Amino acid sequence: MPKILDGKKLAQEIELILQQAIESGLEVAKRPPGLAVLRVGNDPASGVYVNFKEKACDRIGVRSFAKHLKEDISLEELTETIKSLNQEKNIDGILLQLPLPSHLDEDALLSSIDPDKDADGLHPLNLGRLIKGEKGPRSCTPAGVMSLLERNQIKIEGKRAVVVGRSILVGKPMALMLEAANATVTIAHSRTKDLPSLTREADVLVVAAGKPYLIGKNDVSENCVVIDVGIHRLPPDQENMKELKKTKLCGDVKIFEIEDKVAAYSPVPGGVGPMTVTMLLANTVDRWQKHCGLPLTISHLLP
Ligand code: NAP
């Protein structure tokens, strides 16, 4: 097992497989896969993520239909936009970039996406399929974590997994995917008492709390595989701290404290982030193969 779980490298390998799948299906499908990414308002981080996603589409031959909508768009107007994308024949996947401005009802909007075009696996029907262990589009970040673990030959069955965070976007689907892979899973959250005593018991620790440097060397055991989902830009006054000289991004884990202690870890950047984008592409290509009646050649890449 490699010590550093290199998401950037694995994402490139998977992108190549997806690109080949597109090339070999184009003649029959007569159109490339299409992904609509909806960005609402001017949240700068969302702008960066949407940009990454558009570039990734370009790299592998997915046609991107990005829409940048005004901050004060009404729920009705946005619902209509989603419904028209549901009808659009050239679009196989729809992603609503989160977070949304506070006046918009996230649950209602996610539910208005056609479950068959749900590129982020967050439609209630697809979350239900995940609970039941049925096939369906899976939430991209936890799907990326599963791929990172499996492709690095990290055995999950029978292991004690702890997921820190219980959001619908990451923590909950992550716990369900680990459980489906036969781990014994505990979910921790902001009201969990004595978090370190739990995390120290983990063979696989996935941290998705959105709290910079929450987990350090006293919170992990030596055999642990640590997956850091968090991503934060450090405030300028911390950028010059001795141990952080080379990086402006950090995760929820003090990698500089745990890297010599644990069995393996995912870095930030270059760990879960690139895998999230790649799983979005994989969901879109999988939908495209289904919509165009092609053989489903890449579904094994999805959990
Ligand atoms: P979120 O919706 O804010 O959820 C955070 C979760 O962490 C909540 O369940 C919260 O508990 C829990 N939590 C907060 N503080 C905690 C603490 N001190 N101890 C234990 N649990 C704590 O965040 P999210 O959307 O899941 O994202 C989590 C992180 O992952 C963020 O940094 C985000 O930027 C990052 N992210 C990265 C990617 C990627 O591609 N790399 C993708 C998505 C998200 P309560 O439920 O009790 O409030």
Side-chain angles (χ1 to χ4, degrees):
M1 180 207 320
K3 177 111 179 168
I4 300 177
L5 307 176
D6 187 341
K8 193 171 171 195
K9 183 161 162 263
L10 178 55
Q12 284 166 352
E13 287 167 23
I14 295 177
E15 277 190 16
L16 195 62
I17 298 170
L18 297 174
Q19 188 177 6
Q20 285 162 354
I22 295 171
E23 281 165 12
S24 63
L26 265 182
E27 202 176 304
V28 173
K30 299 196 169 50
R31 66 170 181 86
L35 173 67
V37 178
L38 299 175
R39 177 186 172 201
V40 184
N42 294 314
D43 176 55
S46 293
V48 173
Y49 294 139
V50 169
N51 194 17
F52 282 158
K53 289 166 186 173
E54 281 179 42
K55 282 191 179 147
C57 286
D58 277 355
R59 281 198 299 274
I60 70 159
V62 169
R63 193 168 161 209
S64 162
F65 297 80
K67 277 189 191 289
H68 189 177
L69 303 156
K70 57 186 192 299
E71 178 95 22
D72 60 355
I73 190 170
S74 69
L75 179 65
E76 293 70 28
E77 212 181 328
L78 187 48
T79 306
E80 280 315 308
T81 304
I82 292 173
K83 283 185 177 163
S84 76
L85 294 170
N86 286 342
Q87 301 302 322
E88 174 58 63
K89 290 254 176 317
N90 291 327
I91 290 178
D92 301 286
I94 301 169
L95 176 118
L96 183 60
Q97 184 66 43
L98 303 176
L100 294 171
S102 56
H103 69 282
L104 293 169
D105 180 343
E106 186 179 300
D107 288 344
L109 289 162
L110 290 172
S111 300
S112 71
I113 295 173
D114 177 349
D116 206 40
K117 294 190 175 185
D118 179 24
D120 210 9
L122 295 177
H123 188 283
L125 182 70
N126 289 323
L127 290 170
R129 285 176 171 148
L130 172 61
I131 289 173
K132 291 190 76 182
E134 292 173 4
K135 276 274 174 201
R138 296 289 194 246
S139 186
C140 299
T141 301
V145 172
M146 293 308 288
S147 179
L148 201 54
L149 292 170
E150 281 160 20
R151 295 262 176 155
N152 282 289
Q153 282 86 46
I154 292 164
K155 291 205 170 54
I156 299 169
E157 182 162 321
K159 294 289 168 67
R160 179 83 198 263
V162 174
V163 178
V164 184
R166 57 175 168 181
S167 71
I168 283 292
L169 185 64
V170 187
K172 281 193 181 116
M174 184 76 256
L176 287 164
M177 287 180 207
L178 287 164
E179 182 268 337
N182 293 317
T184 304
V185 186
T186 305
I187 303 181
H189 46 76
S190 67
R191 315 288 171 89
T192 297
K193 301 250 187 304
D194 194 6
L195 183 66
S197 72
L198 258 189
T199 55
R200 278 196 297 266
E201 284 178 17
D203 302 309
V204 177
L205 174 64
V206 181
V207 192
K211 298 280 175 245
Y213 295 147
L214 178 69
I215 299 293
K217 67 170 179 292
N218 296 328
D219 305 312
V220 293
S221 72
E222 263 138 39
N223 305 323
C224 190
V225 173
V226 181
I227 303 291
D228 189 354
V229 179
I231 184 136
H232 313 277
R233 198 160 277 280
L234 289 167
D237 63 321
Q238 287 188 38
E239 277 173 22
N240 293 325
M241 278 166 66
K242 206 170 96 213
E243 61 273 57
L244 304 171
K245 254 183 198 156
K246 289 188 212 139
T247 177
K248 287 182 185 167
L249 289 177
C250 79
D252 288 357
V253 178
K254 292 174 189 161
I255 298 289
F256 52 87
E257 275 192 19
I258 62 129
E259 61 192 341
D260 293 330
K261 180 173 182 183
V262 298
Y265 66 91
S266 69
V268 175
V272 176
M275 291 303 296
T276 297
V277 177
T278 297
M279 289 297 120
L280 174 67
L281 299 175
N283 274 337
T284 306
V285 175
D286 183 58
R287 300 290 90 197
W288 169 73
Q289 289 185 329
K290 181 169 181 266
H291 296 154
C292 296
L294 297 165
L296 302 178
T297 59
I298 61 107
S299 53
H300 65 284
L301 299 172
L302 298 159

